[in-house]
Amino acid sequence: MADFGLYEYQEEVVQRALRGENIIIWLPTGGGKTRAAVYVAKKHLENNPGAKVAVLVNKVHLVDQHYNKEFNPYLGRDYSLVSISGDCDQKDFFGSEVKNSDLVICTAQILENALTNQEEGKHVELSQFTLLIIDECHHTHKEGVYNKIMARYVAQKLKGERRLPQILGLTASPGTGGTKSIKGAVEHVLQICANLDSVIVSSKVYAHELKKKVPRPRKRFDIVDRRPQDPFGDHLKFMMQFIHDFMALGPDFPVREFGTQEYEADVVILEKKDRNRLLSQCALHLRQYNDALLINDTVRMVDAFRVLESYYSTKSSTAMDGTDFFLLGLYQENEVELRKLSGDARFENPKMGKLQNTLLEQFDQGGNSRGILFSKTRKSICCLYDWVSNNPALQRAGIRAAILTGAGNGINYMTQNEQKDTIRNFRLGSLNLLISTSVAEEGLDIPECNLVVRYGLLTNEIAQQQASGRARASDSVYSVVAQAGGREVRRELLNECLEDLTGRAIGEVQRMEPREFQMKITDLQTEALLTRQLAEQLKIKKRSRFNAATVQLSCRGCFLPVALGNDIKVIENAHHVNINPDFERYYKTGGQPALKTFEDWEPGRVISCAACGRQWGMEIIYKKIAMLPILAIENFAMETPEGRKLAKKWKNVEFTVEEFNFSTTQKHVNLAPLF
């Protein structure tokens, strides 16, 4: 294997895979798991005529990264390779691409869609593949797309199906599954093994070589004292208490500490109060103030103020009743004072000064420093980017920063192409600091990164290990910027213990007798299969709890009734549209969303409530014929025979949504414009 460039510890961990066994390779970030997988794929294709390999990843940018940097350079000369993600045309002919290729690299969702799509040219079966490589396979649990694919695999295996692919999983951090006991951690590792129908393999003989090849970064806690005075935050809390007094909730609704995630959970409960617009509107505004407090604790006061300023900039035109005028008036009466307090440098967040020093220590040396600054939310990383870009000291140090977030359609999301461009520019060096959410914790190929900063984060041991693994250069630094005695420090120390617990649990699983291990795996697989079957029955029962005609949808902002459940139909099991032509009188249209045109539909205009301005979704032109409004259920309340219900996703509604059908609905829908 020397000619392939494998280290001895990589040769060690691939041996069982080369014998055709299902295995999970457990190596740290930077340990070369992908290179080992390329070697297994190469030998598999060489030794099995007609073999077909699928490489599954969980993030779009990893499709091209694995294709360009790993698989194509080593296999592209001798084999037919194709990379497919959601933003390329080949996904519409996935079945055909699989037939014509030796190796396919794709997002797991692309394969899952093909397994469920029965249309010719798009459908595939698991039996068409002889090797399935699953990157970041610790995500094979619960309702994740990896586990949906592997659940199908396990079900077929338990039925006696023999034409199933070999499995090769790759992970740096299986985790403990949230448990703090060795028994629970062992059970979690066994469950991952059962889900992947695999044993877990790590380096033993050459562990010393692995440790030398992948050194751990120097970890430090950059601690700051609590802000001695916070008049801006205190004023926000005063306003929140004023709203609570206005609601007159009484002793039955105790208030937890303002500016915490626990308080936000209380506010969500408030918003669900049955048919009470006063409480629901107050809850929406309290959530904005709570967000501002969280931002004030994480970044600058001015960032928190801008969030409120942006929220209230549109409220005067949508005020409907006394509650709206009270809430709007409260903000307007205090706006000048909030603006003044947010600009008082004496009370600025001390964590910002500590963060500046941490960045300057690495970047102000005239070298080729490169780093990643992790923070929790899209709002916070946008604020941090603005701060870095306008900070004279950081700019003099030559910091060239960019934001990296998950792909999506919202204002703070990135398109998949923007993600790719940002990652490429960072790899090439035109950018040297990524300000990122957790999207950058896994899979990025940036070996020379010498600084990782965790800022305002409370995450599990998997995320911590992945983030730490981004710092791979010699003498790299892993910094935790946090408040003295804060939850971030406590969680970081706990994660260190859980990381050690993960290693001990894997060791116990590896020491099991093969017969005992296999019995446990089969028991877990059988139990999971029965549990999934029962869960599916319960879902079907839940979806038919109410007759669709008895469910009334009202705007989440003003509770104006605007539709019935039986007005809603679903297209391609994904897009929920209102087919009632009278519905258009309840909404107004706005700008065009930044979306491309798809095979069967193209985006129209954004739609929002004509009464209160709450955004509902957007119009689409379906098959160039019908103009249909797509609705996001999170923007509506459902009045049912058992009271008000709220749902974040359509899959959680408790009535059956029928499939859209032109033949039965064409007389109801609006035709698309001819121009």
Side-chain angles (χ1 to χ4, degrees), residues 144-157:
V145 64
Y146 280 164
N147 211 27
K148 289 180 181 179
I149 293 169
M150 286 307 302
R152 188 178 284 104
Y153 178 105
V154 169
Q156 292 178 18
K157 173 207 164 185

Side-chain angles (χ1 to χ4, degrees), residues 20 30 71 176 291 390 394 411 490 603 664:
F71 286 90
T176 66
D291 278 350
N390 293 285
L394 297 180
I411 188 169
R490 294 196 299 272
T664 58

Side-chain angles (χ1 to χ4, degrees), residues 303-372:
D303 297 315
F305 174 71
R306 286 171 182 166
V307 167
L308 286 176
E309 186 179 41
S310 174
Y311 179 73
Y312 281 100
S313 64
T314 60
K315 288 298 172 185
S316 59
S317 60
T318 58
M320 295 179 59
D321 59 18
T323 299
D324 292 334
F325 289 116
F326 163 76
L327 293 166
L328 180 62
L330 177 65
Y331 172 76
Q332 291 173 338
E333 289 169 9
N334 289 274
E335 182 178 16
V336 172
E337 182 65 14
L338 287 173
R339 187 188 302 274
K340 176 184 173 184
L341 290 171
S342 71
D344 194 329
R346 293 176 299 168
F347 308 113
E348 193 51 272
N349 188 345
K351 284 189 281 192
M352 301 301 292
K354 179 63 73 172
L355 176 59
Q356 176 174 311
N357 292 339
T358 300
L359 293 172
L360 287 176
E361 186 177 318
Q362 291 296 317
F363 284 94
D364 201 14
Q365 299 175 4
N368 295 316
S369 293
R370 208 167 293 188
I372 305 179

Side-chain angles (χ1 to χ4, degrees), residues 210-505:
L210 172 61
K211 190 173 183 180
K212 188 176 179 181
K213 173 68 174 62
V214 190
R216 298 293 294 266
R218 178 165 49 91
K219 183 173 182 175
R220 71 185 195 201
F221 290 92
D222 290 322
I223 303 301
V224 297
D225 293 328
R226 183 182 294 272
R227 192 179 334 199
Q229 295 183 63
D230 185 14
F232 176 78
D234 292 341
H235 200 85
L236 291 178
K237 293 176 182 178
F238 159 76
M239 295 170 69
M240 293 169 76
Q241 187 59 54
F242 204 78
I243 296 173
H244 273 270
D245 294 341
F246 175 75
M247 292 189 293
L249 290 171
D252 293 337
F253 195 88
V255 178
R256 287 190 276 189
E257 184 182 356
F258 295 153
T260 63
Q261 298 292 341
E262 292 77 15
Y263 176 79
E264 183 173 327
D266 294 341
V267 170
V268 170
I269 294 172
L270 257 185
E271 193 185 351
K272 295 180 181 179
K273 288 289 184 181
D274 192 34
R275 297 182 184 274
N276 190 325
R277 187 172 189 276
L278 185 151
L279 294 185
S280 68
Q281 288 303 296
C282 287
L284 288 172
H285 288 247
L286 285 168
R287 195 167 184 175
Q288 294 295 321
Y289 284 110
N290 199 63
D291 278 350
L293 282 173
L294 290 169
I295 292 170
N296 179 52
D297 183 58
T298 306
V299 281
R300 299 169 298 179
M301 296 182 291
V302 68
D303 297 315
F305 174 71
R306 286 171 182 166
V307 167
L308 286 176
E309 186 179 41
S310 174
Y311 179 73
Y312 281 100
S313 64
T314 60
K315 288 298 172 185
S316 59
S317 60
T318 58
M320 295 179 59
D321 59 18
T323 299
D324 292 334
F325 289 116
F326 163 76
L327 293 166
L328 180 62
L330 177 65
Y331 172 76
Q332 291 173 338
E333 289 169 9
N334 289 274
E335 182 178 16
V336 172
E337 182 65 14
L338 287 173
R339 187 188 302 274
K340 176 184 173 184
L341 290 171
S342 71
D344 194 329
R346 293 176 299 168
F347 308 113
E348 193 51 272
N349 188 345
K351 284 189 281 192
M352 301 301 292
K354 179 63 73 172
L355 176 59
Q356 176 174 311
N357 292 339
T358 300
L359 293 172
L360 287 176
E361 186 177 318
Q362 291 296 317
F363 284 94
D364 201 14
Q365 299 175 4
N368 295 316
S369 293
R370 208 167 293 188
I372 305 179
L373 169 56
F374 287 105
S375 194
K376 183 177 181 181
T377 66
R378 294 181 183 90
K379 282 183 181 177
S380 65
I381 67 167
C382 288
C383 296
L384 286 167
Y385 173 75
D386 181 68
W387 170 71
V388 169
S389 301
N390 293 285
N391 184 302
L394 297 180
Q395 291 306 299
R396 283 195 300 271
I399 292 180
R400 302 177 299 279
I403 286 172
L404 182 64
T405 69
N409 301 324
I411 188 169
N412 289 328
Y413 289 83
M414 301 180 78
T415 66
Q416 292 170 353
N417 284 333
E418 286 172 338
Q419 272 189 342
K420 291 177 184 177
D421 289 344
T422 298
I423 292 165
R424 182 174 60 252
N425 290 334
F426 186 55
R427 191 179 294 124
L428 294 174
S430 55
L431 298 172
N432 58 12
L433 179 68
L434 290 182
I435 304 174
S436 178
T437 55
S438 60
V439 70
E441 286 170 350
E442 293 181 352
L444 280 184
D445 181 26
I446 313 168
E448 65 274 37
C449 189
N450 63 314
L451 174 67
V452 166
V453 182
R454 302 250 295 170
Y455 186 78
L457 279 175
L458 286 168
T459 57
N460 62 20
E461 73 281 7
I462 295 176
Q464 178 176 310
Q465 286 174 259
Q466 297 278 8
S468 174
R470 300 297 109 216
R472 304 180 196 172
S474 59
D475 298 323
S476 57
V477 172
Y478 174 85
S479 165
V480 179
V481 177
Q483 185 175 282
R487 292 187 297 170
E488 294 97 333
V489 174
R490 294 196 299 272
R491 182 70 218 198
E492 198 79 17
L493 294 172
L494 171 62
N495 285 342
E496 291 178 5
C497 297
L498 294 177
E499 182 179 348
D500 177 66
L501 186 60
T502 299
R504 288 164 52 204

Side-chain angles (χ1 to χ4, degrees), residues 48 94 117 161 198 265 307-308 335 414 461 504 595 612 632:
N48 298 277
F94 186 76
N117 193 325
E161 172 66 54
S198 301
V307 167
L308 286 176
E335 182 178 16
M414 301 180 78
E461 73 281 7
R504 288 164 52 204
L595 286 174
C612 72

Side-chain angles (χ1 to χ4, degrees), residues 421-599:
D421 289 344
T422 298
I423 292 165
R424 182 174 60 252
N425 290 334
F426 186 55
R427 191 179 294 124
L428 294 174
S430 55
L431 298 172
N432 58 12
L433 179 68
L434 290 182
I435 304 174
S436 178
T437 55
S438 60
V439 70
E441 286 170 350
E442 293 181 352
L444 280 184
D445 181 26
I446 313 168
E448 65 274 37
C449 189
N450 63 314
L451 174 67
V452 166
V453 182
R454 302 250 295 170
Y455 186 78
L457 279 175
L458 286 168
T459 57
N460 62 20
E461 73 281 7
I462 295 176
Q464 178 176 310
Q465 286 174 259
Q466 297 278 8
S468 174
R470 300 297 109 216
R472 304 180 196 172
S474 59
D475 298 323
S476 57
V477 172
Y478 174 85
S479 165
V480 179
V481 177
Q483 185 175 282
R487 292 187 297 170
E488 294 97 333
V489 174
R490 294 196 299 272
R491 182 70 218 198
E492 198 79 17
L493 294 172
L494 171 62
N495 285 342
E496 291 178 5
C497 297
L498 294 177
E499 182 179 348
D500 177 66
L501 186 60
T502 299
R504 288 164 52 204
I506 291 173
E508 285 206 15
V509 169
Q510 291 174 333
R511 287 189 293 272
M512 285 181 181
E513 290 294 326
R515 188 168 178 274
E516 177 194 5
F517 173 82
Q518 198 54 57
M519 286 178 60
K520 287 180 179 293
I521 292 303
T522 302
D523 287 345
L524 287 169
Q525 290 175 336
T526 304
E527 181 183 341
L529 177 63
L530 295 173
T531 300
R532 280 191 293 271
Q533 291 173 344
L534 179 59
E536 188 57 36
Q537 292 171 9
L538 292 174
K539 280 182 185 177
I540 293 171
K541 185 176 180 181
K542 180 180 178 181
R543 284 197 292 265
S544 58
R545 183 172 183 178
F546 303 116
N547 184 313
T550 67
V551 177
Q552 188 177 72
L553 273 63
S554 55
C555 173
R556 188 91 170 260
C558 61
F559 295 116
L560 177 71
V562 295
L564 293 174
N566 58 353
D567 292 333
I568 309 300
K569 307 298 177 189
V570 61
I571 297 175
E572 299 172 358
N573 202 33
H575 314 298
H576 290 76
V577 299
N578 190 320
I579 64 165
N580 191 332
D582 293 336
F583 181 64
E584 67 177 0
R585 63 192 175 98
Y586 293 108
Y587 68 79
K588 57 187 177 182
T589 57
Q592 196 92 3
L595 286 174
K596 66 177 184 178
T597 297
F598 294 85
E599 183 180 11

